[in-house]
Amino acid sequence: MAYSDKVIDHYSNPRNVGTLDKSKKNVGTGLVGAPECGDVMRLQIEVDETTNTITDAKFKTFGCGSAIASSSLATEWLKGKTVDEALAIDNMEIVEELALPPVKIHCSVLAEDAIKSAINDYRVKNGLPELEVAKSHH
Ligand code: FES
């Protein structure tokens, strides 16, 4: 299967690979796996609590090229967004931006799930109720 130029770009030069300090109260960690293929993605956000804005985002993905590209792109999009704006990121925006073929859509769902899981972790750590956000995998 042919990858798009944008996938190849993110795959060969992934942005924001790394780890944020989990012990910090303003860091949220999302860890999700795709049942379809067993790939795993960890995505973390650091939030400025006074402005509710994401100041940093990092990821580590053990998965296919599309999953790595999706999470790399997601971390780029997350920086500077408010938590509410981040919640609104839809996997189909990632599909569009990276020109993912249908068989690779679940790779982008993994990124959306990881974002929401990171936000929920941040919320729970800060005494906020967890949101019902998990997307169902097909
Ligand atoms: Fe499973 Fe891409 S093939 S995340």
Side-chain angles (χ1 to χ4, degrees):
M1 179 191 34
Y3 279 121
S4 73
D5 289 348
K6 278 180 181 162
V7 170
I8 292 166
D9 176 34
H10 277 278
Y11 177 73
S12 38
N13 178 26
R15 288 32 150 210
N16 309 308
V17 173
T19 307
L20 296 173
D21 183 358
K22 248 184 138 165
S23 68
K24 283 165 94 177
K25 211 178 158 216
N26 66 330
V27 169
T29 302
L31 183 64
V32 293
E36 291 87 347
C37 57
D39 290 350
V40 176
M41 184 180 293
R42 191 191 66 203
L43 188 147
Q44 294 179 294
I45 53 169
E46 184 163 339
V47 180
D48 178 335
E49 291 143 303
T50 56
T51 59
N52 212 28
T53 299
I54 295 168
T55 52
D56 204 1
K58 298 264 186 230
F59 81 93
K60 263 193 181 162
T61 294
F62 305 93
C64 74
S66 299
I68 289 168
S70 295
S71 40
S72 170
L73 177 66
T75 54
E76 279 197 322
W77 281 357
L78 285 169
K79 287 195 205 179
K81 277 194 166 43
T82 65
V83 173
D84 285 345
E85 286 166 347
L87 263 180
I89 293 175
D90 186 272
N91 79 288
M92 289 313 289
E93 297 171 54
I94 296 170
V95 169
E96 226 168 89
E97 175 69 20
L98 296 176
L100 297 180
V103 60
K104 289 288 175 181
I105 287 176
H106 78 271
C107 318
S108 68
V109 172
L110 202 55
E112 185 188 321
D113 283 352
I115 292 170
K116 290 183 166 149
S117 157
I119 291 171
N120 260 334
D121 183 54
Y122 167 74
R123 289 177 63 89
V124 168
K125 275 168 111 173
N126 288 276
L128 297 164
E130 208 168 331
L131 302 168
E132 288 282 338
V133 285
K135 216 169 206 188
S136 60
H137 292 265
H138 302 285

